[in-house]
Amino acid sequence: MRARGRSRDGRCPKCGTPSSRVHDRYQRRLQDVPLASRQVEITWEVRRFACANAQCPQRPNSSGR
């Protein structure tokens, strides 16, 4: 099974600012024991959004630039 989020933006976990700028994409996989002799695996694509708040501590180089 494959899954992908449909949201166009995400919120920063530190300050809550919404952002639609994607910083990175990666895949996560979840495996379980075989079911009826078939392998069970769920793969989903995850996006990491870049925070749009220049003062946010989550951002790299946010020390008053």
Side-chain angles (χ1 to χ4, degrees):
M1 174 187 284
R2 293 179 186 261
R4 184 186 330 201
R6 296 182 354 182
S7 176
R8 294 180 190 255
D9 63 356
R11 293 200 175 267
C12 177
K14 293 280 185 185
C15 70
T17 301
S19 177
S20 59
R21 196 174 110 221
V22 177
H23 173 72
D24 192 15
R25 295 175 192 267
Y26 60 97
Q27 288 188 347
R28 288 190 171 179
R29 289 192 172 101
L30 175 66
Q31 289 185 323
D32 203 350
V33 295
L35 178 66
S37 300
R38 297 191 66 154
Q39 180 181 354
V40 178
E41 180 178 292
I42 299 172
T43 303
W44 66 96
E45 183 176 284
V46 179
R47 294 171 293 168
R48 290 182 57 202
F49 292 95
C51 184
N53 179 359
Q55 303 303 315
C56 179
Q58 182 77 9
R59 288 181 57 149
N61 300 325
S62 63
S63 58
R65 245 199 206 214

